[in-house]
Amino acid sequence: MQNFKKNLGFNLALIALAALFVGLSVGAFLFYRSNAASKLQLDRARKDQDALLRGHAFVPGAAAVSLNDKNVAAAAEDVKDLEAHVASLRAALAGNPEFAIKGKASANSAELSALLRESVDGWRKLAIDQGIKLTPNEPTAFGFHRYIHNQGTSPKRDFQKVDQQRQIIDFLVRQLAESRPAGSPLLIESIDREPVETFVLIPEGKPGAGTYGPDADTTRNEVDEFVPSRTFDRHNLVETMSFRVRFVGYTPTLRTFVNKIRNSGRPFAITSIDVGLASKEADKQLSSASAAAASAANAAAPAAAPAFADLFGGSEPAAATPAAGKPAAVGDQRKPVVPRKFSSFVVQIDYLSIPEEKPAAAAEGEPKK
């Protein structure tokens, strides 16, 4: 220690040189490692560049496609074609804008509640006026049982969408009524809807973000509400609202109804059709209605034409009397081999719409909810 103190300056200089040497050694090592990593990245970039210039065979045996000016121009044209194709698909899905069914943007809770009740009353009156039967015990509320049979309730959110559903159901009811052949019995059991106003958007960062989930404080198990098992809905591509039309009648009514929906020019898609035998209650109700209509038609039919002799006197023409020895002609007594029965039909329908595209800048600057 005494020697160290005697040569303090010299010893400190040695320590400083030693520290400098260690520092330079560590720096050189780190620089070497950094240089090696940079060299590795450069080698990889060169390999990727060489691979792009050599090209890649997308199909075995086909010529390799390389990154050159010609192929870059062709790729740009392909992108334009794809964008045009996507635009044409969006236009086809959206349908004719003149035929689009849109909800009332200015609707509020009180106004919408009044519109729902007015519409349901109008649909019931339409059915009565045209001789269409409704479920006798609890007449269908056409998808709005939640608000029609629970006095004082009204939608709490998505007023425009609910009003859009109201207008779509109005279209479906009228198409179904017009699809019935004259005199053919028809019973509307229910028109069900997807309860969009009871769904809430799941926020970002949670499972299922960007989709709709059931609201915890709202029940969805109403008699005329359902969650579709099959739908054309695709997140950010196609939005849908699903409806289910349940009725009892004959097959021509179903066929005409489906054709009317398909040829309406509106963005409807029929996702499923279920056919079964009518229940005993529905069969009894429609059979009684059919018998009453038949008796009314017979009563309204004109009386049989008077006999020839009553009009002109004498005997009827010889052609009208059977020849001697030949039996009189027997009237048409054909009987159906298989009795005609009523069928129960369930038609599920999607109304399609295209999500509105947001500008990229607005989407990036949009705060997360």
Side-chain angles (χ1 to χ4, degrees), residues 175-192:
Q175 294 303 304
L176 181 58
E178 295 174 3
S179 300
R180 179 179 62 128
S184 179
L186 175 62
L187 167 67
I188 299 179
E189 291 186 316
S190 178
I191 294 184
D192 311 328

Side-chain angles (χ1 to χ4, degrees), residues 12 15 22 27 32 49-50 62 81 107 110 148 158 168 206-208 241 249 252 269 283 288 310 343 355 365:
L12 290 176
I15 293 173
V22 172
Y32 172 78
Q49 181 183 14
D50 293 340
D81 292 341
I148 301 303
D158 290 335
I168 293 172
K206 293 187 177 181
M241 285 190 289
D283 188 82
S288 60
D310 295 337
S343 298

Side-chain angles (χ1 to χ4, degrees), residues 25 43 64 85 105 159 162 197 226 237 240 276 281 332 336 352 364:
S25 299
D43 291 340
H85 183 60
F159 304 137
V162 176
E197 77 279 13
F226 77 110
L237 296 176
T240 64
E281 294 77 9
D332 190 358
L352 311 179
E364 291 175 1

Side-chain angles (χ1 to χ4, degrees), residues 107-110 112-113 116 146-147 152-160 162 193 196-199 215 217-219:
N108 54 51
S109 180
L112 182 55
S113 181
L116 294 178
R146 177 190 301 276
Y147 308 116
T153 58
S154 60
K156 297 179 181 179
R157 61 168 69 92
D158 290 335
F159 304 137
Q160 186 171 354
V162 176
R193 69 182 180 93
V196 294
E197 77 279 13
T198 66
F199 295 165
D215 193 354
D217 62 356
T218 308
T219 58

